Amino acid sequence: MSRASGDSGDSSRESSRASGRAFTPLEERLDAWAHRRSQALAADAGPWRRGLLEFAVFTAKQAWACVFGAVMLVLLVLARLVYPDDALLVRSDALVLAALTVQALMLALRLEGGRELWVIVMFHVVGTVMEIFKTHMGSWAYETDGLLRIGGVPLYTGFMYAAVGSYMVRVFRLFDLRFTRYPPIWATALVAAAIYANFFTHHYLPDVRWVLVGAVVLLYARCVMSFRNQRTGPRRRMPILVAFVGVAFFLWIAENVGTWAGAWIYPHQSAQWHLVPPTKFVAWLLLMMISVVLVTLVHRPRPPTD
């Protein structure tokens, strides 16, 4: 390794420690590569080449942040396309064991930090409890075979929620997220609790999801998120609500893939697969707010320092 690459790796580790959100070893290498390339282009490259590099780094880090969710989607699709129907181990149980293996490997290979694991586990539990209730109410359904399940819910479903939590904790670390005018944590926690309660109570009481969407907009309307693609690079800014909508949209896309793969089905898909209705986009937006609040318990929102 050259001295220049070693210096950039040291710079990445130092800035990572300064932020209080240490990179995993692979993330350090990714950040060091981005630093070396940006330094090499800084002197003689035009704005287009620098912009393309920044976009490439942003895409690579977003892809890495999504790695657990992407692996889960691949497993769901493979389970539908290639897993034999007459296998001794039924499909749903195989998915549970595969998800457990992936999570264990990510910890053993230091691809995921143990400090944030409890947030992922918490969202796993939150999602599983809601799944048990929702399947009981007939909101959606899973295959009925398999032993590794609670009621009508196979245990791999919790890992799909965990994938959302995993993404959230990764983007905080990878992009050194900072916030201007972030709302009080107690207020965000109250709204998140109301959102979670509404997923249950709307079966018996009026559905107030649009009131809760309004509360989210009012709460975060003035908040601006700043990030940078590599720790020595310039900060970029965007309204945090734009980020929320973008993440919810990709979650809706992932849900369409999951239902196509037969991981679960909605009543309107029982005879033939159809797109998940756009109303579920709103549900994902609200559910994501619970994950956001859980993550802020580990990564406290901080203002930019530069």
Side-chain angles (χ1 to χ4, degrees):
M1 181 181 291
S2 69
R3 181 174 179 83
S5 63
D7 289 346
S8 60
D10 292 342
S11 174
S12 174
R13 284 187 290 272
E14 289 171 4
S15 57
S16 178
R17 284 193 294 268
S19 70
R21 299 166 184 169
F23 286 154
T24 65
L26 188 146
E27 291 164 357
E28 285 181 0
R29 291 194 291 272
L30 177 59
D31 197 71
W33 171 82
H35 175 75
R36 291 195 304 272
R37 293 301 303 152
S38 63
Q39 291 293 100
L41 292 178
D44 54 0
W48 280 102
R49 288 185 64 189
R50 292 197 298 270
L52 285 173
L53 172 65
E54 188 162 357
F55 179 74
V57 174
F58 178 82
T59 302
K61 286 194 170 185
Q62 285 286 345
W64 176 242
C66 296
V67 65
F68 190 83
V71 170
M72 282 299 302
L73 280 181
V74 169
L75 289 174
L76 293 175
V77 172
L78 289 178
R80 169 171 178 165
L81 296 180
V82 303
Y83 197 81
D85 293 333
D86 58 351
L88 184 61
L89 184 66
V90 299
R91 183 180 290 106
S92 62
D93 287 352
L95 281 169
V96 175
L97 296 179
L100 278 170
T101 301
V102 171
Q103 182 67 80
L105 283 174
M106 291 185 71
L107 289 171
L109 298 175
R110 299 176 63 196
L111 301 180
E112 193 159 69
R115 174 173 174 256
E116 296 140 341
L117 180 63
W118 78 271
V119 175
I120 297 171
V121 171
M122 278 294 297
F123 202 48
H124 191 299
V125 173
V126 164
T128 300
V129 170
M130 190 177 72
E131 287 283 335
I132 294 170
F133 177 81
K134 287 291 192 178
T135 53
H136 176 72
M137 299 301 296
S139 298
W140 53 80
Y142 295 92
E143 292 180 332
T144 57
D145 55 355
L147 298 175
L148 302 178
R149 59 197 305 114
I150 300 176
V153 181
L155 295 182
Y156 70 77
T157 60
F159 288 96
M160 295 186 291
Y161 291 92
V164 180
S166 176
Y167 170 80
M168 292 293 178
V169 296
R170 285 173 182 276
V171 293
F172 260 81
R173 183 172 63 237
L174 287 167
F175 294 96
D176 188 23
L177 298 187
R178 303 297 178 97
F179 305 90
T180 303
R181 296 185 297 274
Y182 196 89
I185 296 295
W186 64 265
T188 63
L190 282 178
V191 171
I195 289 171
Y196 191 60
N198 188 67
F199 281 117
F200 297 86
T201 59
H202 82 84
H203 290 279
Y204 310 103
L205 301 172
D207 188 355
V208 294
R209 72 179 61 192
W210 291 108
V211 175
L212 294 169
V213 169
V216 169
V217 172
L218 288 175
L219 201 58
Y220 290 94
R222 299 177 64 246
C223 181
V224 176
M225 181 179 73
S226 73
F227 66 94
R228 47 187 174 192
N229 288 322
Q230 45 105 355
R231 292 300 175 93
T232 58
R235 284 200 169 274
R236 310 300 182 190
R237 291 163 54 86
M238 68 184 303
I240 196 171
L241 288 175
V242 174
F244 289 163
V245 170
V247 173
F249 173 75
F250 281 103
L251 289 173
W252 179 75
I253 295 294
E255 184 176 38
N256 277 284
V257 175
T259 55
W260 173 85
W264 69 96
I265 58 170
Y266 290 103
H268 76 282
Q269 298 171 322
S270 57
Q272 183 181 2
W273 183 81
H274 299 280
L275 277 175
V276 176
T279 52
K280 294 297 181 182
F281 167 84
V282 177
W284 275 112
L285 176 66
L286 292 173
L287 186 65
M288 187 183 64
M289 303 314 303
I290 301 172
S291 181
V292 169
V293 171
L294 288 175
V295 173
T296 57
L297 299 180
V298 169
H299 292 316
R300 289 286 177 165
R302 293 185 294 177
T305 56
D306 51 349

